Amino acid sequence: MENRYKGAGVPAEGIQRVNLADVDAETFFKRFVATRTPCILVGQPPDVRVQRWTLPYVKSKAGHATVQVEYRRDTKDRFGRGCNKRMAFGEFVDRIAAGDETLYMTTQTLGLGLEERPHLMAAPVKQMAEDFALRPSLLPGLIPFNYNLWLGNSREGSSTGLHHDYHDNLYILLCGRKRFTLYSPRDTAFMYTVGKVALVHENGRICYEGQVTLADGSDPKAVELYGKQASAMQELAEAEAAVERGEKGAKQRLRKAEDSLDKALAAIARFESSGAAFIEGDGRPSKPSTKPIAQGGDSKSKRLREDDDDGEVQPEPEQAPAPTFPNSFSRVPTSQPAEELQKTFPDFARATSTQVDVHAGEMLYLPAGWFHEVHSAGTAASGPPTHMAFNYWFHPPTKLGDEDVNNPYDSDFWARDWQERQANPFFGCCSHLLSCFLSAQVMAGSRRGTFGCGTAGLVSTQRSCGRCCTGDLQPDGSCERRAGRQR
């Protein structure tokens, strides 16, 4: 394992608490995000209005939706063991309101949109998306991966198990109490993860053998192919401009540019259809893709097609399946006595930890790669011991030394991905749409508008071929501009 981590360790004085009113976005980025330092923020941003999320409110907004919940046989067991079932969100809320402590909602299955890209959010969060800014003012430069609701009951306290996430986490507690036990990425070698760690990046993002990404989580091969495609499209734009100016040799240059773009797109097609591993955050191989590796922020995320969102309710199995744990989980059973742990996991004692309690109305900022175990409990004096939270996951920043709150990444890979996903925040985009977006920026004089990919059968204000992006599609699906050159 190679550990390149350059961020903060566990502070000797514990996790700092900061009044949100005392920090602006730039100060927060420099003090905590750039240094990879967890902190508690007292207060909530004005553009995140999730304080209204009571049980009756969330049921009224999303009660009809089908969600996935974790379950356990009794309160002595813990969650995070891979025991899941699907049920109506309204039924789930009713059982929580009745005091049921055997169910817990965590990260939801992200539906698949175009070309099997994961959505930004799933039910029930997408039914309440008007209550929060997609990009909160506190972290204007970080690009979101997704958004989640966490909801359950526990009077004595339930545990998630020790694990790390792949994304920066802004965790907003709405009711109850959460106790986080934290370990820095510095101590990754002592955490006995399920997967074999290959690399810890400077920003704390942890990669496993066969799943090595760049520090921001993007797939190196995808970035390479995307760059070649972008260069080919820019050359095509310049060649088209040269033809329009009547420059000598411009037509030959244009033919070469078209051939180069064809080769770039063919390379992408080969990559997408190859057997190369495309790894989800929980370590399961999936379809190879030029799109960014969608490693789930909470490691337990799975992917389903969009039409699974309102699937049939699954009854609870008579016998719980054998627990399964993603690569990012620690094999250390932290509830056992220290002397027992020393026998089986002797190096775990070398890791430094700290505990911090998060209360309702507070937020925890937790950088990617920080190991944590969460104990959740309700605090109500009467009624069900409910705890509820909402969180953002962001692609981890890579330009840490520059301390630029608005430009925290080394490349524009995620920024362009985000621009395209805004066509519909619940749907993923396709590689052709990325191409169209880029083309719209670099082609001087091109028609601006909502670009679509004709080959994907999308509907838009301008239908393009997805190759040169400036030629409208003919009725037979061919490109008007390219066909015109051939006539």
Side-chain angles (χ1 to χ4, degrees):
M1 182 192 77
E2 181 181 1
N3 195 331
R4 302 176 185 172
Y5 180 64
K6 296 182 178 179
V10 172
E13 66 278 12
I15 303 301
Q16 186 176 356
R17 296 188 110 83
V18 180
N19 286 320
L20 184 60
D22 296 337
V23 293
D24 57 18
E26 183 175 3
T27 301
F28 182 72
F29 186 87
K30 290 180 178 180
R31 287 178 58 184
F32 300 104
V33 180
T35 60
R36 316 307 288 152
T37 304
C39 73
I40 297 293
L41 288 155
V42 181
Q44 296 181 9
D47 53 356
V48 181
R49 300 174 297 277
V50 294
Q51 299 89 342
R52 69 180 73 177
W53 287 10
T54 61
L55 292 182
Y57 180 85
V58 298
K59 181 182 177 181
S60 71
K61 290 290 186 177
H64 64 282
T66 299
V67 297
Q68 180 173 278
V69 299
E70 295 187 36
Y71 66 89
R72 57 183 180 176
R73 288 300 177 184
D74 55 56
T75 57
K76 296 179 181 179
D77 202 358
R78 68 176 177 84
F79 294 108
R81 298 170 62 86
C83 300
N84 303 299
K85 67 176 181 177
R86 292 171 64 76
M87 64 190 305
F89 181 62
E91 178 189 350
F92 168 74
V93 172
D94 288 342
R95 289 181 61 172
I96 293 298
D100 192 330
E101 297 188 36
T102 65
L103 301 177
Y104 185 38
M105 173 178 289
T106 63
T107 53
Q108 286 302 291
T109 299
L110 296 177
L112 294 178
L114 304 174
E115 294 196 354
E116 300 190 357
R117 287 291 309 279
H119 296 180
L120 278 173
M121 62 188 83
V125 173
K126 71 179 183 181
Q127 282 83 4
M128 299 180 286
E130 71 277 4
D131 291 339
F132 58 90
L134 295 182
R135 299 183 70 168
S137 57
L138 180 65
L139 294 165
L142 294 190
I143 299 172
F145 170 67
N146 70 355
Y147 317 82
N148 301 279
L149 175 69
W150 310 76
L151 177 58
N153 281 329
S154 181
R155 199 168 300 279
E156 301 297 328
S158 58
S159 169
T160 61
L162 181 59
H163 65 284
H164 73 81
D165 298 334
Y166 295 92
H167 299 83
D168 281 24
N169 190 354
L170 185 63
Y171 193 90
I172 305 170
L173 190 60
L174 305 178
C175 67
R177 175 184 57 80
K178 302 271 185 171
R179 173 165 293 170
F180 284 75
T181 304
L182 304 178
Y183 302 79
S184 168
R186 289 182 183 178
D187 290 335
T188 299
F190 310 140
M191 303 308 292
Y192 294 92
T193 54
V194 171
K196 188 172 183 180
V197 176
L199 173 67
V200 182
H201 283 289
E202 291 89 341
N203 63 357
R205 186 177 178 101
I206 299 173
C207 299
Y208 292 87
E209 290 189 352
Q211 306 178 33
V212 177
T213 71
L214 299 179
D216 64 358
S218 55
D219 183 338
K221 184 64 174 179
V223 174
E224 176 190 349
L225 293 176
Y226 170 76
K228 290 181 178 179
Q229 182 187 21
S231 297
M233 295 181 75
Q234 183 166 358
E235 171 59 18
L236 179 63
E238 294 174 358
E240 287 180 325
V243 169
E244 292 176 359
R245 292 192 298 266
E247 294 181 6
K248 184 178 180 180
K251 291 184 178 180
Q252 182 179 6
R253 179 185 179 184
L254 181 58
R255 285 193 294 272
K256 290 183 177 179
E258 290 175 344
D259 289 342
S260 295
L261 181 56
D262 286 340
K263 291 178 181 178
L265 293 173
I268 289 174
R270 286 194 301 272
F271 181 69
E272 289 182 340
S273 62
S274 71
F278 173 62
I279 305 297
E280 303 288 358
D282 56 9
R284 287 190 294 270
S286 182
K287 176 186 175 182
S289 173
T290 57
K291 274 71 72 177
I293 286 181
Q295 290 185 307
D298 179 71
S299 335
K300 299 187 288 296
S301 295
K302 304 178 185 67
R303 305 288 182 264
L304 290 181
R305 296 186 180 277
E306 183 196 356
D307 56 10
D308 287 338
D309 182 57
D310 293 311
E312 295 182 359
V313 176
Q314 295 178 344
E316 186 171 319
E318 294 183 3
Q319 183 174 359
T324 59
F325 299 98
N327 284 341
S328 55
F329 268 69
S330 170
R331 293 184 287 114
V332 178
T334 56
S335 60
Q336 289 188 3
E339 56 270 19
E340 293 296 324
L341 295 181
Q342 182 63 30
K343 296 176 183 178
T344 312
F345 307 99
D347 287 339
F348 184 66
R350 300 172 62 185
T352 302
S353 68
T354 189
Q355 285 189 342
V356 62
D357 286 350
V358 185
H359 304 283
E362 297 180 338
M363 301 186 293
L364 170 68
Y365 168 67
L366 189 64
W370 275 74
F371 285 83
H372 52 285
E373 182 170 12
V374 188
H375 286 83
S376 305
T379 56
S382 60
T386 303
H387 49 85
M388 177 163 48
F390 168 76
N391 89 299
Y392 291 84
W393 266 313
F394 302 92
H395 298 292
T398 55
K399 293 175 64 176
L400 305 180
D402 291 349
E403 298 182 345
D404 186 348
V405 64
N406 294 310
N407 186 29
Y409 300 98
D410 289 312
S411 78
D412 63 354
F413 190 73
W414 290 118
R416 294 198 181 279
D417 177 71
W418 175 260
Q419 289 283 349
E420 286 303 328
R421 297 179 92 169
Q422 296 323 287
N424 186 328
F426 308 131
F427 292 85
C429 63
C430 65
S431 59
H432 297 298
L433 282 175
L434 280 172
S435 304
C436 293
F437 172 78
L438 179 60
S439 177
Q441 306 304 308
V442 302
M443 289 187 174
S446 65
R447 290 188 294 269
R448 298 304 176 108
T450 303
F451 289 88
C453 172
T455 57
L458 302 181
V459 177
S460 66
T461 58
Q462 175 180 329
R463 295 181 66 223
S464 73
C465 67
R467 299 175 69 177
C468 67
C469 293
T470 60
D472 291 345
L473 289 176
Q474 300 184 99
D476 64 358
S478 61
C479 174
E480 180 184 78
R481 175 167 292 198
R482 290 172 66 89
R485 296 194 192 108
Q486 296 170 1
R487 286 196 292 266

